[in-house]
Amino acid sequence: MKNIIHDNFVPWMLYRRMELEATEPSLGQYKAYVTRLSITQEKEDTTKSFKPLAGEVDESYTLKVRLDGHASITAESSIGVLRALETFSQLFFQHSKGPFVYTNKAPVTISDKPEYDHRGILFDVSRSWFPMDSILRTIDALAYNKMNRFHLHITDSQSWPLEVPSMPELHEKGAYAVGKSYSPADLAKIQQYAVNRGVEPIIEIDSPGHFGVAALSHPEVIAGWDSASCAYFHTGGDEVNFNMYQLDPSVGTNDSAVIVPLLQKFIDKHHARVRKAGLTPFVWEEIPVDYNVTIGDDVVVQSWLGDEAIAALTAKGHKVISSNYNYWYLDCGRGQWLNFAESDRDAYYPYADWCAPYKGWRYLYEYDPRAGLSEEQAKLVIGGEMAAWSESIDDATIDDILWPRASAAGEVLWSGRVDAAGHNRTQLDASVRLAEFRERMIARGIKSGTVHMPFCTQGQNSTACQFLFEQALEGATVKSFAVYLGILFVVWRVYLKINESVRLRKLGARAPRIVSHLPFGLDTVYKQVKATMQYKNLESFLEVIKPSSNYTVEGRILGRRIVFTADPENIKAILATQFSDYGKGEPFHREWKEFLGDSIFVTDGKVWHASRQLLRPQFSRERISDLHTFESHLDVLFKAIANGGALEGPDQKVDIEAGNGKPIEISDLFFRYTLDVSTSFLLGTDVGSLTNPREPFAEAFNEVQRIQSIKARAGPLQAIVPHGSFRRGLKVVNSLCDIYIDQALRLSPEELASKTKSDQEYTFLHELALFTRDRTVIRDQLVAVLLAGRDTTAATLSWTIYELGRHPEVVRKLRDEIVRTVGVDRTPTYDDLKNMKYLQYVVNETLRLYPVVPFNVRLALKDTTLPRGGGADGNQPIAVLKDTPIAYSTLVMQRRTDLYPPVSEKFVDPAVYCPDRWYNWQPRPWQYIPFNGGPRICIGQQFALTEMTYVLTRLFQRFDRVESFMHEIDGGNPSLKSEIVIQPGDGVKVALWEAKKV
């Protein structure tokens, strides 16, 4: 009743100017008085009513106020009664003529219940000390807002204000001053005060990070918190600095392989104590996510790193509380709390804090903790907490920091982000409610910040301060409007720049900058596209990374930050150790979709995983070791070699002996051969490109790849790349695919299921048709695998012959091994191929100098880092923001001389082709990855290697000499054509000489 009668307000600001009195009841007229308030609690309270886990107490209620003055409340629990009484108090206003209160809202019936079970505030009393009345006042405000959790972050690295009777030295040495601590009696008062108002307190003693004193190994620390009045205990766990354990003589390392098992023991032991005290553990998300510590199913995880983190946690089945720093960190935007020396001034100016900017109530109101989640995942998000970290907050400012912003978020947590019709609740409606409620808070002693000026509410509707574009344009000239847009653009760009700098500084260091001389890095874009067209991508990449001794740089190209790297540690992070942080990304998917659709090469997450699971069986050893497909096309290849090029039809007669020593462009034949093998393997029949010099499919496929490569390097400017030949080529490719897809889809599921993978006629297409009847899915996977199946093998075979033409001594050693193993006539088996070591070394050496995909890109899927390349010494982690492209080159990395032993009699210059080096040398992990690495390593790797070694074996059973004509063409400097795979830009012109028969 105190809030109704004494702590109320005159609502003058809610009505038009000077019109308040006309809206109030006249003191001289008849009035109905509220004479009775009946309360019905339909169920008895239990012990869980006052220390509930999420969902264990029913907070719903029905409130009715009749015209005759009879008011009634019906609720399931006493907590529901408290919520109803709060609503009842908010129906009344103070009269402007004296100590009277009235409501103009009767008759009214309100039935209400919360959307989320956990609705709270994190209150940090360790960085700044807060007096008891400040804490109790905040608990009052929580109750006014129908929020039900008070998370007391009571210790941290800066101070220990918690009094533990058995360990008094903790607060005696750790508190800021005598009297600036909280006794057991203080905690008991906080608990009881909160419970009486329907608010459950949760204490957090953060550990093992943010923990200056090793105290939680003592059970009595927990015993100081009375479990009779709360259900949870927060054990912290965020931002554990593994480097600090190097200073601990009992650990002596920062190796996660050592520390994580210790952390697991710590959490297990600590949580067991928490449960023994009758409490449920809380942790920060780093414990299960970053440190991979196993936690119990009962543990609630508090997430602060954003929506993607919440999605990942709920996907694993964890119950989650959202404290998304992007929205609900209330201390953000107040500037740095550190001070800087003059030498650091420029680096940190204008001293924004790490999570700037300031978030107004409208921004908080926009946030939906369950957005983008599946129905099952959404159920696991049990609520949220606004966080008030107190590095720059104290008792004098806390009310203004919390309110009305926490009220806006509190409405989302109580009512949900969408209304009953499924529409987002709007700022326009919320502003009226918040403005009124803010006045109630002020009247009750909470020094809340403003919602907006009285002008906005005196319009008596939600549109008085609504931004209307038409109003903004009214009276504006074209010139003034253009100036306005220009200023707005500049301000927006400055904001983005500052925000990016702040976020990057928090994550890590910066890499050396790319040297660019034109705005937006246009000269870099031009050089990249020109290099692609002139087959100078290697030289271009080396030029880009020249500013760095560690082969990692960054630059801003067309307004976007891009990182370039050829560092094996960074590549390992992208592909393996930080695999979940990086992916192809939606921009890449969109850029390649017209060509490769939703196939394995352009997707991430579940779509990629489903594709990989579908394709993997097609590359089983059983199918790879069946060499019939390779052999069946070799006779045609040998005829084409003797002919000096592709045949004019399958029945063309060729004098095999006449082709001995005839110059040919063999690279073209290899691409035709692998296309025929791939289509036969995938579709069950080949396209016959070896027997048709102008085979339309092969020409169309080449042109599509050429234009796609230019588009990829043009980035945002790809719209100006001519697409005519690209789309004409795609039409040819799609038409051929449709023919075979139609054939497969004519088979019923039963007919497809009757075929087995060991059947010769069973193809990849059959497997796809059994998996899905969706033509688009089938087409996308076909084209992707066809691309990899043709180009990978053909390019590597081309480079192998290119180098063998320059190294006759290698040809002699290779042929000697082949003849010793399989003779000159017998077809090799799968085991034969694996047992020929020098043959393996020849292919390895080719792939070392000419890795299949020389340049690649990944997109950061979240704010993260790369292990090294930043800072003055180049050894610090590099900050990487979400959506930052990372361009990496295995070609550059595998040619770095600093990654090899010094040149000597035992080790040939790494720039020289020398398979013999592999007898005594093996590359270090991640310094040789011709087929990529990590979870996305090429699943067709063994198929490609088997095809390469089979073709080389059969080739050198027949031929014993390769004569190269390439020096006349390229002067000994091969052109590296890098569209998708790397292939000889000038072809491979050689002559093959048949061995003399003995």
Side-chain angles (χ1 to χ4, degrees):
M1 296 303 291
K2 179 174 179 287
N3 287 340
I4 296 176
I5 297 173
H6 300 292
D7 295 338
N8 215 321
F9 74 106
V10 177
W12 60 266
M13 72 293 298
L14 304 182
Y15 297 96
R16 298 187 188 279
R17 300 172 195 239
M18 311 305 172
E19 293 186 6
L20 171 65
E21 293 184 4
T23 68
E24 294 180 311
S26 171
L27 297 180
Q29 293 179 342
Y30 170 78
K31 295 169 285 295
Y33 291 92
V34 177
T35 57
R36 183 173 60 169
L37 173 61
S38 59
I39 298 175
T40 302
Q41 183 177 321
E42 298 191 330
K43 292 183 180 179
E44 290 187 5
D45 287 330
T46 67
T47 54
K48 289 185 177 181
S49 299
F50 305 108
K51 47 171 291 184
L53 297 174
E56 287 187 344
V57 64
D58 189 337
E59 299 179 74
S60 65
Y61 66 87
T62 297
L63 167 66
K64 295 181 180 180
V65 180
R66 300 193 323 219
L67 281 175
D68 62 4
H70 180 207
S72 64
I73 289 173
T74 304
E76 295 288 312
S77 67
S78 61
I79 306 300
V81 171
L82 286 174
R83 305 295 179 242
L85 287 171
E86 178 56 44
T87 299
F88 182 68
S89 73
Q90 294 176 25
L91 297 176
F92 293 89
F93 299 98
Q94 183 178 330
H95 204 285
S96 63
K97 299 298 185 181
F100 310 106
V101 294
Y102 66 93
T103 180
N104 52 11
K105 300 183 185 295
V108 63
T109 298
I110 300 171
S111 293
D112 207 0
K113 63 179 180 180
E115 178 70 20
Y116 292 85
D117 296 317
H118 187 116
R119 310 175 305 280
I121 281 176
L122 182 153
F123 196 106
D124 176 12
V125 297
S126 59
R127 272 60 173 256
S128 292
W129 184 82
F130 290 82
M132 283 291 290
D133 63 351
S134 182
I135 294 172
L136 301 181
R137 185 174 72 249
T138 300
I139 293 172
D140 281 332
L142 284 167
Y144 301 154
N145 283 271
K146 299 192 182 77
M147 298 171 83
N148 64 352
R149 298 290 189 270
F150 181 59
H151 176 169
L152 196 64
H153 184 87
I154 202 167
T155 64
D156 212 293
S157 302
Q158 286 76 17
S159 80
W160 184 283
L162 175 64
E163 295 182 17
V164 181
S166 60
M167 302 178 68
E169 68 275 10
L170 290 177
H171 79 273
E172 288 172 356
K173 295 182 178 180
Y176 282 130
V178 175
K180 305 301 182 186
S181 58
Y182 304 103
S183 67
D186 292 331
L187 295 183
K189 183 175 181 179
I190 291 170
Q191 288 178 284
Q192 194 59 52
Y193 195 87
V195 168
N196 289 346
R197 287 155 179 77
V199 177
E200 183 177 349
I202 300 171
I203 193 170
E204 177 187 0
I205 300 178
D206 202 353
S207 64
H210 294 268
F211 189 64
V213 182
L216 281 181
S217 57
H218 298 272
E220 57 267 33
V221 172
I222 296 175
W225 185 253
D226 181 7
S227 65
S229 300
C230 58
Y232 297 105
F233 185 88
H234 205 308
T235 59
D238 64 318
E239 299 180 322
V240 179
N241 187 347
F242 282 17
N243 290 327
M244 298 301 290
Y245 289 99
Q246 295 182 97
L247 306 177
D248 185 339
S250 66
V251 180
T253 180
N254 62 356
D255 187 351
S256 60
V258 175
I259 296 171
V260 169
L262 298 176
L263 191 56
Q264 181 72 63
K265 282 185 177 181
F266 175 84
I267 292 296
D268 289 344
K269 189 174 182 180
H270 190 24
H271 284 190
R273 290 193 180 114
V274 171
R275 294 185 183 100
K276 187 176 180 180
L279 302 169
T280 296
F282 248 77
V283 294
W284 289 103
E285 66 191 302
E286 286 93 328
I287 289 294
V289 175
D290 292 356
Y291 317 138
N292 203 28
V293 169
T294 302
I295 57 176
D297 292 339
D298 60 331
V299 178
V300 178
V301 181
Q302 187 160 10
S303 173
W304 64 281
L305 289 174
D307 291 339
E308 290 186 356
I310 293 173
L313 288 164
T314 53
K316 294 180 179 179
H318 293 300
K319 295 188 288 289
V320 176
I321 298 298
S322 175
S323 290
N324 188 334
Y325 80 92
N326 292 301
Y327 295 90
W328 285 357
Y329 266 32
L330 302 182
D331 54 300
C332 293
R334 296 174 60 79
Q336 284 276 4
W337 56 272
L338 296 169
N339 302 313
F340 299 95
E342 281 298 306
S343 58
D344 297 321
R345 180 182 181 279
D346 291 342
Y348 290 94
Y349 185 84
Y351 315 119
D353 56 45
W354 70 272
C355 55
Y358 181 89
K359 284 84 174 172
W361 71 262
R362 295 168 183 83
Y363 195 66
L364 273 71
Y365 193 73
E366 294 288 324
Y367 178 52
D368 182 355
R370 291 173 176 163
L373 300 179
S374 69
E375 185 176 348
E376 290 304 311
Q377 287 178 287
K379 291 176 183 176
L380 293 171
V381 181
I382 60 177
E385 290 181 1
M386 278 51 67
W389 302 105
S390 61
E391 290 96 338
S392 60
I393 303 171
D394 62 10
D395 179 46
T397 58
I398 184 64
D399 285 5
D400 184 66
I401 291 293
L402 292 176
W403 316 107
R405 294 188 294 162
S407 298
E411 179 173 306
V412 172
L413 290 171
W414 179 273
S415 300
R417 183 67 186 89
V418 298
D419 59 23
H423 301 133
N424 281 337
R425 302 179 191 277
T426 71
Q427 299 174 13
L428 300 179
D429 295 334
S431 64
V432 177
R433 294 190 295 272
L434 285 174
E436 177 184 324
F437 186 69
R438 184 260 180 178
E439 298 302 325
R440 294 191 185 279
M441 299 266 280
I442 293 292
R444 297 176 185 184
I446 310 299
K447 302 300 182 185
S448 169
T450 58
V451 174
H452 42 47
M453 58 183 166
F455 169 81
C456 298
T457 50
Q458 285 199 323
Q460 282 191 299
N461 61 61
S462 61
T463 62
C465 284
Q466 178 183 359
F467 174 77
L468 296 175
F469 192 66
E470 293 82 358
Q471 291 178 1
L473 288 178
E474 188 176 346
T477 64
V478 173
K479 181 178 179 180
S480 63
F481 184 60
V483 171
Y484 168 75
L485 286 180
I487 294 172
L488 193 63
F489 175 77
V490 171
V491 170
W492 176 243
R493 296 298 302 176
V494 169
Y495 161 73
L496 290 178
K497 184 75 172 175
I498 293 173
N499 183 52
E500 180 185 83
S501 298
V502 170
R503 291 168 63 200
L504 286 169
R505 195 176 302 122
K506 176 184 180 290
L507 288 168
R510 303 290 291 270
R513 305 302 198 272
I514 295 172
V515 177
S516 184
H517 303 289
L518 291 179
F520 304 107
L522 288 174
D523 52 335
T524 302
V525 176
Y526 172 74
K527 290 175 183 176
Q528 291 288 312
V529 174
K530 183 179 179 182
T532 299
M533 300 177 74
Q534 296 180 345
Y535 310 150
K536 299 290 185 181
N537 289 109
L538 174 61
E539 295 84 348
S540 177
F541 199 98
L542 289 170
E543 180 67 23
V544 166
I545 61 175
K546 185 186 292 184
S548 169
S549 59
N550 285 347
Y551 288 81
T552 302
V553 296
E554 66 174 84
R556 187 164 294 280
I557 298 175
L558 300 176
R560 192 178 195 186
R561 181 175 179 251
I562 299 178
V563 177
F564 295 81
T565 187
D567 185 326
E569 285 301 310
N570 290 339
I571 295 174
K572 178 174 73 172
I574 293 166
L575 299 180
T577 55
Q578 293 174 233
F579 177 74
S580 61
D581 292 358
Y582 296 94
K584 293 291 186 177
E586 184 52 34
F588 185 90
H589 177 219
R590 189 167 55 247
E591 191 174 88
W592 287 75
K593 185 173 177 63
E594 196 170 0
F595 180 23
L596 296 180
D598 295 324
S599 64
I600 187 172
F601 296 133
V602 295
T603 51
D604 293 306
K606 292 180 180 178
V607 177
W608 164 77
H609 187 265
S611 295
R612 193 171 179 87
Q613 293 303 105
L614 172 64
L615 299 180
R616 187 188 295 275
Q618 287 301 311
F619 298 101
S620 65
R621 173 164 177 168
E622 177 187 8
R623 289 188 65 79
I624 292 171
S625 58
D626 178 9
L627 307 178
H628 170 76
T629 303
F630 306 145
E631 181 66 27
S632 63
H633 294 85
L634 274 173
D635 283 342
V636 184
L637 175 63
F638 288 141
K639 285 183 180 179
I641 290 173
N643 187 56
L647 304 179
E648 296 285 351
D651 299 324
Q652 179 184 341
K653 303 297 183 182
V654 178
D655 183 352
I656 298 296
E657 292 186 2
N660 195 36
K662 179 187 292 186
I664 55 169
E665 204 290 88
I666 200 168
S667 178
D668 174 67
L669 294 182
F670 283 146
F671 274 87
R672 291 173 180 274
Y673 168 79
T674 55
L675 177 61
D676 288 350
V677 168
S678 295
T679 50
S680 177
F681 179 77
L682 297 173
L683 307 176
T685 184
D686 65 70
V687 296
S689 65
L690 276 170
T691 57
N692 185 352
R694 297 299 303 261
E695 206 290 309
F697 182 86
E699 293 182 348
F701 208 62
N702 290 338
E703 181 61 11
V704 169
Q705 287 188 62
R706 186 182 74 83
I707 300 298
Q708 182 66 60
S709 176
I710 295 173
K711 286 171 58 181
R713 286 167 172 82
L717 299 180
Q718 65 179 264
I720 66 175
V721 176
H723 282 61
S725 62
F726 176 80
R727 298 212 166 96
R728 287 192 297 273
L730 267 182
K731 187 175 181 180
V732 173
V733 171
N734 292 338
S735 296
L736 180 80
C737 289
D738 286 342
I739 293 172
Y740 295 104
I741 292 171
D742 286 340
Q743 292 176 2
L745 291 180
R746 289 192 193 107
L747 298 174
S748 68
E750 292 74 20
E751 289 175 304
L752 289 167
S754 68
K755 295 180 178 293
T756 65
K757 293 184 175 111
S758 59
D759 292 341
Q760 286 293 332
E761 69 272 16
Y762 186 83
T763 67
F764 171 74
L765 183 55
H766 291 132
E767 180 76 14
L768 279 176
L770 186 61
F771 171 77
T772 179
R773 312 296 284 184
D774 188 322
R775 303 179 62 87
T776 302
V777 173
I778 295 174
R779 178 266 175 205
D780 292 347
Q781 301 295 355
L782 273 179
V783 172
V785 177
L786 188 58
L787 170 66
R790 184 193 78 150
D791 291 17
T792 298
T793 307
T796 305
L797 286 171
S798 299
W799 285 118
T800 302
I801 298 303
Y802 181 97
E803 290 292 349
L804 292 180
R806 303 200 294 183
H807 297 278
E809 74 284 358
V810 176
V811 174
R812 286 193 295 271
K813 292 183 70 170
L814 175 61
R815 188 170 192 274
D816 286 347
E817 180 183 63
I818 291 170
V819 172
R820 280 198 315 271
T821 306
V822 297
V824 296
D825 295 314
R826 179 169 70 84
T827 57
T829 65
Y830 183 77
D831 288 337
D832 289 332
L833 299 176
K834 291 299 179 185
N835 290 332
M836 287 190 276
K837 293 300 181 185
Y838 198 69
L839 174 63
Q840 303 290 330
Y841 295 160
V842 166
V843 173
N844 288 351
E845 184 70 355
T846 302
L847 290 171
R848 183 185 69 81
L849 283 174
Y850 308 101
V852 177
V853 181
F855 305 99
N856 217 322
V857 67
R858 290 291 187 271
L859 194 75
L861 303 179
K862 58 191 278 191
D863 286 0
T864 183
T865 60
L866 289 174
R868 68 186 182 193
D873 61 358
N875 291 318
Q876 299 178 40
I878 298 173
V880 179
L881 298 183
K882 182 176 182 249
D883 295 330
T884 300
I886 312 296
Y888 67 95
S889 174
T890 53
L891 175 65
V892 173
M893 179 188 72
Q894 291 179 189
R895 292 186 175 214
R896 284 178 53 179
T897 56
D898 60 308
L899 298 181
Y900 292 90
V903 176
S904 65
E905 291 183 0
K906 294 183 178 180
F907 193 83
V908 178
D909 185 342
V912 175
Y913 184 85
C914 180
D916 293 67
R917 77 174 77 247
W918 292 80
Y919 281 117
N920 303 305
W921 168 83
Q922 286 293 320
R924 292 179 179 176
W926 291 96
Q927 293 182 9
Y928 172 77
I929 49 169
F931 291 94
N932 256 341
R936 292 191 86 126
I937 191 170
C938 175
I939 58 175
Q941 175 180 351
Q942 291 306 316
F943 179 89
L945 290 172
T946 302
E947 185 177 4
M948 293 171 198
T949 52
Y950 189 90
V951 171
L952 290 172
T953 298
R954 298 298 278 157
L955 201 64
F956 288 105
Q957 283 180 296
R958 180 183 291 254
F959 302 103
D960 68 352
R961 184 155 62 98
V962 181
E963 182 180 355
S964 176
F965 298 93
M966 292 307 298
H967 195 278
E968 303 165 9
I969 298 172
D970 60 23
N973 296 308
S975 296
L976 307 181
K977 181 181 179 182
S978 305
E979 290 176 351
I980 295 177
V981 301
I982 185 173
Q983 63 190 85
D986 297 315
V988 180
K989 188 177 182 181
V990 295
L992 299 176
W993 298 82
E994 285 197 27
K996 294 180 180 179
K997 295 183 179 180
V998 179

